[in-house]
């Protein structure tokens, strides 16, 4: 039997977060501890005020940090430091398990000693639009996949594509490789995944482990998110250089256009082009952020606190 903890950075938790905890309680493989690293105590207190939260979720631990202390990498490393389990699962506070087999499906690949990380399939919610639904299907198909260093040549950046929206880690390997980078604006999961691949380990896409998770960003949100992605790519050439992301983006746009036409919704192609253009411009300027004035960097960024550290 696997021993596993779940670690979740939390910010302004809502009812969806309670649904997440409810689904974790139902898992066929029991979770030892759920470790929450909550940003800004007042928001968490507002959610649980007047409830029997601590009785209902007796395996939950909460550590509060300030907004200024939050960092995509350092905060997650802090959560890991509070766990003693040989395996841990990273989640975000808006990823809801679809069924009771999520933990089982994420841990099953670790029967292979060479697997250092597995990640779940992300499904769109019922409120997502057709563009978001197709994007999720494109990035998270229904077929499991094992990836290793030998795949770099033909898969490129997809070899170490992995998301800690919901991902499991072997603790021994995580510690040996130094965990997440401590100062990260974005992509802390893929930067770690590349370390795994380069060290000769495997990553497993556990398509049978499913969470509902999607974003409904407008053009401005897509620009900011992809600006931060570009910054992370610029700051970590040892991870991303020589591996094109633009070609994969173009392939996604083409396939989404075909999908929208088949769905009888070609009018959404205008929205697709707008969002895709915002993504590209955000990524373009993120890759070149060192040429921008400091105030522009913060203006363009989704993670504004990153620039104060």
């Amino acid at each position: 039997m696997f021993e596993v903890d779940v670690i979740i950075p939390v910010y302004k938790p809502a009812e969806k977060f309670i649904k997440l905890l409810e689904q974790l309680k139902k898992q066929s493989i029991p979770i030892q501890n759920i470790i929450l690293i909550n940003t800004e105590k007042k928001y968490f207190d507002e959610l649980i005020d007047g409830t029997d939260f601590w009785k209902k979720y007796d395996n939950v631990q909460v550590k509060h940090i300030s907004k200024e202390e939050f960092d995509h990498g350092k905060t997650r490393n802090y959560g890991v430091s509070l766990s003693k389990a040989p395996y841990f699962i990273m989640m975000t506070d808006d990823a809801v398990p679809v069924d009771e087999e999520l933990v089982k499906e994420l841990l099953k690949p670790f029967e292979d000693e060479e697997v250092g990380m597995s990640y779940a399939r992300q499904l769109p919610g019922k409120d997502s639009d057709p563009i978001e639904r197709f994007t999720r299907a494109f990035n998270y198909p229904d077929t499991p996949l094992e990836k290793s260093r030998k795949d770099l040549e033909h898969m490129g950046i997809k070899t170490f594509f992995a998301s800690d929206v919901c991902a499991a880690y072997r603790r021994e390997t995580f510690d040996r490789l130094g965990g997440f980078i401590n100062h990260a604006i974005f992509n802390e999961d893929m930067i770690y995944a590349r370390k795994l691949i380069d060290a000769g380990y495997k990553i497993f896409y556990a398509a049978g482990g499913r969470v509902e998770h999607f974003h409904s960003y407008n053009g401005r949100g897509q620009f900011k998110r992809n600006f931060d992605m570009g910054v992370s790519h610029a700051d970590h050439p040892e991870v991303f250089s020589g591996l094109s992301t633009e070609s994969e983006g173009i392939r996604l746009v083409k396939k989404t256009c075909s999908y929208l036409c088949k769905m009888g919704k070609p009018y959404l192609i205008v929205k697709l082009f707008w969002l895709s253009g915002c993504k590209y411009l955000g990524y373009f300027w993120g890759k070149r952020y060192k040429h921008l004035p400091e105030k522009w960097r913060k203006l363009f960024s989704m993670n504004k606190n990153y620039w104060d550290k």
Side-chain angles (χ1 to χ4, degrees), residues 17-34:
F17 172 66
I18 297 299
K19 187 177 179 182
L20 158 60
L21 293 179
E22 283 295 312
Q23 289 296 92
L24 290 180
K25 281 179 65 175
K26 299 174 183 177
Q27 293 301 300
S28 60
I29 292 182
I31 297 161
Q32 290 192 125
N33 299 292
I34 299 173

Side-chain angles (χ1 to χ4, degrees), residues 32 48 52 77 80-81 89-90 134 158 209 226 235 285 293:
Q32 290 192 125
I48 68 172
D52 58 351
N77 282 334
V80 176
S81 75
I89 295 172
M90 278 286 169
F134 185 82
K158 281 285 189 177
N226 281 268
D235 282 347
W285 285 114

Side-chain angles (χ1 to χ4, degrees), residues 8-133:
I8 311 174
V10 179
Y11 181 57
K12 293 186 177 180
E15 287 305 313
K16 194 171 187 180
F17 172 66
I18 297 299
K19 187 177 179 182
L20 158 60
L21 293 179
E22 283 295 312
Q23 289 296 92
L24 290 180
K25 281 179 65 175
K26 299 174 183 177
Q27 293 301 300
S28 60
I29 292 182
I31 297 161
Q32 290 192 125
N33 299 292
I34 299 173
I35 300 168
L36 310 180
I37 310 300
N38 176 70
T39 301
E40 300 297 341
K41 185 175 183 294
K42 63 181 180 180
Y43 298 121
F44 194 85
D45 288 346
E46 287 172 5
L47 178 73
I48 68 172
D49 184 43
T51 71
D52 58 351
F53 182 89
W54 298 113
K55 288 183 179 179
K56 201 169 185 180
Y57 308 108
D58 56 0
N59 65 336
V60 169
Q61 305 172 21
V62 183
K63 298 292 182 180
H64 299 287
I65 62 173
S66 68
K67 195 171 182 180
E68 291 72 29
E69 290 175 292
F70 177 82
D71 181 274
H72 277 269
K74 186 177 180 179
T75 299
R76 286 175 168 84
N77 282 334
Y78 174 46
V80 176
S81 75
L82 301 173
S83 170
K84 304 301 181 187
Y87 301 91
F88 64 90
I89 295 172
M90 278 286 169
M91 297 185 73
T92 56
D93 62 9
D94 60 347
V96 179
V98 170
D99 56 34
E100 68 276 7
E101 301 301 322
L102 172 67
V103 172
K104 178 182 176 181
E105 291 293 330
L106 284 174
L107 294 180
K108 195 174 3 177
F110 291 107
E111 293 173 1
D112 180 347
E113 291 295 324
E114 293 182 356
V115 172
M117 176 184 184
S118 68
Y119 65 103
R121 184 182 181 194
Q122 295 182 30
L123 299 176
K126 60 182 180 180
D127 297 328
S128 60
D129 69 16
I131 296 173
E132 177 67 17
R133 285 200 292 274

Side-chain angles (χ1 to χ4, degrees), residues 233-244:
H233 286 203
D235 282 347
H236 296 280
E238 77 282 1
V239 175
F240 299 105
S241 67
L243 300 170
S244 173

Side-chain angles (χ1 to χ4, degrees), residues 112 114-116 145-161 177 192-204 238 243:
D112 180 347
E114 293 182 356
V115 172
L145 181 64
E146 182 181 271
K147 301 180 287 187
S148 66
R149 188 162 48 190
K150 64 180 173 58
D151 297 307
L152 274 170
E153 187 173 343
H154 68 276
M155 288 186 68
I157 198 169
K158 281 285 189 177
T159 309
F160 54 96
F161 172 79
L177 296 181
Y192 175 75
R194 179 63 192 261
K195 283 199 291 186
L196 273 175
I197 292 294
D198 289 346
Y201 293 98
K202 299 174 184 175
I203 296 169
F204 196 89
E238 77 282 1
L243 300 170

Side-chain angles (χ1 to χ4, degrees), residues 187-246:
N187 280 144
E188 74 289 336
D189 41 15
M190 287 184 65
I191 294 169
Y192 175 75
R194 179 63 192 261
K195 283 199 291 186
L196 273 175
I197 292 294
D198 289 346
Y201 293 98
K202 299 174 184 175
I203 296 169
F204 196 89
Y205 169 52
R210 300 172 298 158
V211 293
E212 181 183 294
H213 178 260
F214 67 98
H215 293 294
S216 298
Y217 291 128
N218 57 19
R220 183 183 179 196
Q222 294 288 10
F223 178 93
K224 288 175 174 285
R225 185 174 188 272
N226 281 268
F227 178 83
D228 289 354
M229 183 188 298
V231 171
S232 73
H233 286 203
D235 282 347
H236 296 280
E238 77 282 1
V239 175
F240 299 105
S241 67
L243 300 170
S244 173
T245 58
E246 287 91 342

